[in-house]
Amino acid sequence: MARRKLIAGNWKMNLTASEGAKLIADLKAACDGSCKCDCAPEVLVCPPFTTIAAVLEAVKGTPIEVGAQNVHWAENGAYTGEISAKMLVELGVSHVIIGHSERRQYFGETDETVNQRVKAALAAGLKVVLCIGETLTEREKGVTNAIIEKQVRWDLADVSAEQLDNIVLAYEPVWAIGTGKTATNEQAQEVHAFIRELLGKMYCPKCAEAVRILYGGSMKPANAAGLLAQPDIDGGLIGGAALKAADFMALIQAAKA
Ligand code: PEP
């Protein structure tokens, strides 16, 4: 089954509203109409909450979609500093990243809270980019698959096969994020195939075949082609290289069928 590739940029805590709009303008200029062809990948950018409105305005008339970088599970209430799914939907956001390793590492996210966020986002009609991945210590201990399995099972607990249509997984080895170290094509493919097989057991083989699994971790123009050529790698979640129009455009080109 042919899965359309997805190139997603995670801007993290970078770019003000005007800088974000400028990046979109540069992408539009570099795109030159070719982004709309059938063979083009789906393109998503995930700016900080405060710049989403400006970026949504800037992408008008383009196929670029806009997502958020996190969401709270409650509909509303006394959760200072948090943003609900309903707020994102009303803004016009289509996707939300959940469970990024920086959230897990620096802000105490657990598989339990990730699962709560996933369920709230899906219930509100958002598409979810669910991040999973092992640390360097875990890889060195040889427990990568066990960690991935634990995360996938927990994070997707109570998520139905129908809801799986609105989930994209992002395998992001923590040791490769923002470090310049990329998983080799083989290392990445091995884990992606493991995730797909696991989804096949949790749901059904056909459902697993339809799910897109992105690779994330220092993906850049120089290594993208090899990674994107792997049979179970369906695109990229990109940090650093998503902040430069020329690099992000090169990744979009690399993902063309
Ligand atoms: C990320 O933040 O999801 C990421 C993959 O970052 P980078 O591309 O900078 O490693």
Side-chain angles (χ1 to χ4, degrees):
M1 174 193 288
R3 292 178 294 268
R4 187 178 177 205
K5 291 218 169 21
L6 169 63
I7 296 295
N10 173 13
W11 292 2
K12 310 194 185 189
M13 198 174 72
N14 292 298
L15 307 181
T16 62
S18 58
E19 290 164 347
K22 162 93 173 54
L23 176 57
I24 298 297
D26 291 347
L27 277 175
K28 276 194 214 170
C31 186
D32 195 22
S34 66
C35 300
K36 283 191 178 150
C37 74
D38 286 347
C39 61
E42 188 177 349
V43 178
L44 171 71
V45 294
C46 300
F49 289 128
T50 54
T51 67
I52 286 174
V55 174
L56 277 163
E57 189 57 36
V59 301
K60 274 192 183 152
T62 78
I64 302 172
E65 296 167 300
V66 180
Q69 298 174 18
N70 200 10
V71 65
H72 195 264
W73 54 85
E75 270 183 41
N76 49 44
Y79 300 103
T80 303
E82 293 291 326
I83 299 289
S84 74
K86 195 174 159 192
M87 293 169 185
L88 294 176
V89 170
E90 195 178 289
L91 258 184
V93 159
S94 55
H95 292 68
V96 61
I97 297 173
I98 299 181
H100 191 280
S101 65
E102 285 153 13
R103 299 294 319 170
R104 295 178 190 257
Q105 227 178 329
Y106 307 138
F107 302 101
E109 290 280 346
T110 62
D111 287 314
E112 192 174 358
T113 57
V114 167
N115 175 246
Q116 283 181 274
R117 290 177 204 272
V118 167
K119 288 187 289 191
L122 291 172
L126 291 167
K127 291 180 184 147
V128 170
V129 179
L130 171 63
C131 302
I132 50 173
E134 82 287 2
T135 62
L136 184 58
T137 316
E138 288 161 348
R139 177 159 281 266
E140 286 173 349
K141 276 193 195 156
V143 294
T144 297
N145 288 358
I147 294 296
I148 297 293
E149 177 158 357
K150 175 181 147 285
Q151 292 175 338
V152 173
R153 286 192 183 276
W154 257 97
D155 299 352
L156 293 181
D158 304 321
V159 170
S160 69
E162 293 79 62
Q163 288 177 312
L164 201 59
D165 286 348
N166 289 321
I167 300 260
V168 173
L169 277 118
Y171 167 58
E172 301 206 301
V174 180
W175 47 272
I177 297 181
T179 58
K181 279 186 210 157
T182 319
T184 62
N185 300 337
E186 294 72 26
Q187 281 173 323
Q189 166 56 27
E190 201 180 319
V191 179
H192 282 234
F194 173 76
I195 295 168
R196 201 174 302 286
E197 198 187 317
L198 175 60
L199 291 172
K201 287 187 219 151
M202 290 168 60
Y203 294 94
C204 71
K206 203 169 155 216
C207 318
E209 272 307 302
V211 175
R212 288 181 293 181
I213 308 173
L214 313 183
Y215 169 79
S218 300
M219 190 186 263
K220 44 188 179 273
N223 59 28
L227 288 160
L228 293 169
Q230 301 307 308
D232 287 294
I233 300 187
D234 306 311
L237 180 57
I238 294 125
L243 300 174
K244 290 188 205 121
D247 286 356
F248 197 58
M249 200 58 216
L251 296 175
I252 294 169
Q253 296 294 348
K256 280 194 174 178

